[in-house]
């Protein structure tokens, strides 16, 4: 059993998400039909999809690097975009398999190359992830009026929980409210960025992440067009943030299967199941491929930087 990497519970945590993803994709493929899926790919404007993905990925990468540079400089140490750009590109490559591992690689590079304590570096990455989630929820709130009633209620609940959580976050870190038993968390290194963050930091980072999400949505709009799915831009603006939120729910690996099911359900009025399934798989493959193109050339150099840095400070 140890050859598979741990206890039965640990193995299950790794295997079950893959099994769920495969089962969902198998059902979707059976419903769409292999021949129809092949025709959808054959009739698609792949030049449009790949061109839009290349342009949007470059823009998103620049915004990713800007956000990471700013946050690390605010809370850890001065870090220029040119320094952190190869690290973020290498993390893209790792993210394809495991998002948390990609985030950990950034923190480890900061720990070994910039001598930032690992948990404090991880705090900066965590801060970006939290603001990303808040911006995503804000987009979901903008699109709430056009969602169909059953989904509108679910999305409204998510928005409400996010608002309460962010309010609690501000009360805890900025107003000193302890919530009975949470006082000791304030000194933990993993929360250093939140301890130091002011409202202005949240706002400035959100201003960077909003155009990032808009580029992501634009990429999906172009991809839908490439596969002959004429969904109105307003519906794309409303649905893509919901799909993005579904992708981070840890049911399957990186949302594989659940994302495709959400695309088929949400955009069903605008295209066939084969078109929608083909689009969703193709845009995911194109995005990961574009990110891999950025990450492969620098991965070895970044890895060497990490290992040359010696033991990481905690």
């Amino acid at each position: 059993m140890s050859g598979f990497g741990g206890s039965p519970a640990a193995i299950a945590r790794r295997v079950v998400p893959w099994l769920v993803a495969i089962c969902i994709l198998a059902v979707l493929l059976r419903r769409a039909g292999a021949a129809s899926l092949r025709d959808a790919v054959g009739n698609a404007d792949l030049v449009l999809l790949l061109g839009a993905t290349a342009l949007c990925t470059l823009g998103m990468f620049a915004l990713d690097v800007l956000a990471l540079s700013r946050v690390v400089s605010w809370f850890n140490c001065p870090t220029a975009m040119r320094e952190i750009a190869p690290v973020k590109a290498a993390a893209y490559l790792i993210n394809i398999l495991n998002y948390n591992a990609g985030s950990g690689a950034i923190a480890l590079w900061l720990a070994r190359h910039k001598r930032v304590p690992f948990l404090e570096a991880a705090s900066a990455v965590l801060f970006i992830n939290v603001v990303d989630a808040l911006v995503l929820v804000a987009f979901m709130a903008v699109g709430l009026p056009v969602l169909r009633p059953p989904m509108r209620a679910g999305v409204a609940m998510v928005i409400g929980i996010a608002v309460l959580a962010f309010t609690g976050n501000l009360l805890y870190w900025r107003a000193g409210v302890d919530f009975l038993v949470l006082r000791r968390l304030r000194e933990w290194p993993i929360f250093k960025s939140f301890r130091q963050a002011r409202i202005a930091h949240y706002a400035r980072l959100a201003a960077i992440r909003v155009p990032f999400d808009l580029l992501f949505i634009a990429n999906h709009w172009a991809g839908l067009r490439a596969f002959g799915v004429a969904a109105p831009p307003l519906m794309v603006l409303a649905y893509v943030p919901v799909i993005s939120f579904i992708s981070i729910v840890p049911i399957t690996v990186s949302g594989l299967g659940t994302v495709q099911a959400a695309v088929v359900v949400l955009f069903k009025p605008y295209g066939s199941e084969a078109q929608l399934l083909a689009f969703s798989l193709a845009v995911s493959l194109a995005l990961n491929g574009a990110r891999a193109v950025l990450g492969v050339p620098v991965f070895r150099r970044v890895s060497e930087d990490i290992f040359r840095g010696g033991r990481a400070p905690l």
Side-chain angles (χ1 to χ4, degrees):
M1 190 69 71
S2 60
F4 290 93
S7 67
I11 294 170
R13 284 195 296 270
R14 290 193 292 269
V15 173
V16 169
W18 281 104
L19 291 177
V20 174
I22 291 169
C23 289
I24 295 173
L25 289 174
V27 170
L28 292 174
L29 179 58
R30 183 177 180 181
R31 286 175 57 91
S36 297
L37 191 66
R38 186 169 55 248
D39 290 341
V41 174
N43 294 328
D45 187 348
L46 297 182
V47 174
L48 172 59
L49 172 65
L50 295 176
T53 301
L55 290 175
C56 290
T57 299
L58 287 174
M60 289 187 288
F61 174 64
L63 291 166
D64 261 341
V65 173
L66 176 61
L68 188 56
S69 171
R70 290 291 184 269
V71 172
V72 172
S73 296
W74 291 339
F75 304 128
N76 301 118
C77 65
T79 303
M81 289 181 64
R82 65 178 180 276
E83 292 182 274
I84 206 72
V87 184
K88 186 61 186 179
Y92 273 170
L93 194 59
I94 302 172
N95 286 346
I96 294 173
L97 297 177
N98 189 307
Y99 183 83
N100 291 330
S103 298
I106 294 171
L108 187 57
W109 182 88
L110 289 168
R112 293 191 168 178
H113 192 73
K114 304 288 284 186
R115 310 310 296 171
V116 175
F118 177 80
L119 290 178
E120 294 184 5
S123 179
V125 178
L126 180 61
F127 184 78
I128 294 174
N129 291 342
V130 168
V131 174
D132 275 348
L134 291 171
V135 171
L136 185 60
V137 169
F139 271 99
M140 291 166 64
V142 170
L144 189 63
V146 302
L147 297 179
R148 293 191 289 272
M151 177 160 290
R152 187 185 307 159
V155 171
M157 183 176 67
V158 170
I159 294 168
I161 292 172
V163 169
L164 288 175
F166 184 55
T167 301
N169 170 77
L170 294 181
L171 289 173
Y172 181 74
W173 294 110
R174 306 309 322 150
V177 178
D178 290 333
F179 296 104
L180 299 178
V181 296
L182 301 181
R183 183 176 183 178
R184 65 180 61 185
L185 299 183
R186 284 199 177 88
E187 301 307 317
W188 288 15
I190 190 65
F191 297 123
K192 178 178 184 288
S193 298
F194 298 90
R195 188 165 60 245
Q196 296 182 347
R198 304 292 187 268
I199 296 295
H201 290 121
Y202 286 95
R204 289 161 66 185
L205 181 57
I208 298 172
R209 303 314 287 172
V210 166
F212 177 96
D213 282 354
L214 288 173
L215 282 172
F216 186 76
I217 293 168
N219 194 172
H220 280 67
W221 176 81
L224 286 165
R225 291 285 175 173
F227 278 83
V229 181
L234 182 61
M235 304 309 295
V236 179
L237 182 65
Y239 288 158
V240 171
V242 175
I243 293 166
S244 297
F245 181 82
I246 291 171
S247 74
I248 64 177
V249 178
I251 299 173
T252 65
V253 179
S254 300
L256 185 64
T258 52
V259 166
Q260 281 70 45
V263 169
V264 169
V265 170
L266 290 174
F267 289 104
K268 189 174 182 179
Y270 310 108
S272 69
E273 291 190 13
Q275 285 176 299
L276 295 171
L277 180 57
F279 151 73
S280 185
L281 292 170
V283 76
S284 295
L285 183 61
L287 279 168
N288 284 328
R291 289 169 178 170
V293 167
L294 290 172
V296 167
V298 298
F299 185 78
R300 181 176 178 180
R301 176 160 65 89
V302 172
S303 300
E304 290 174 349
D305 279 348
I306 290 174
F307 290 116
R308 280 200 303 262
R311 183 179 176 84
L314 297 179

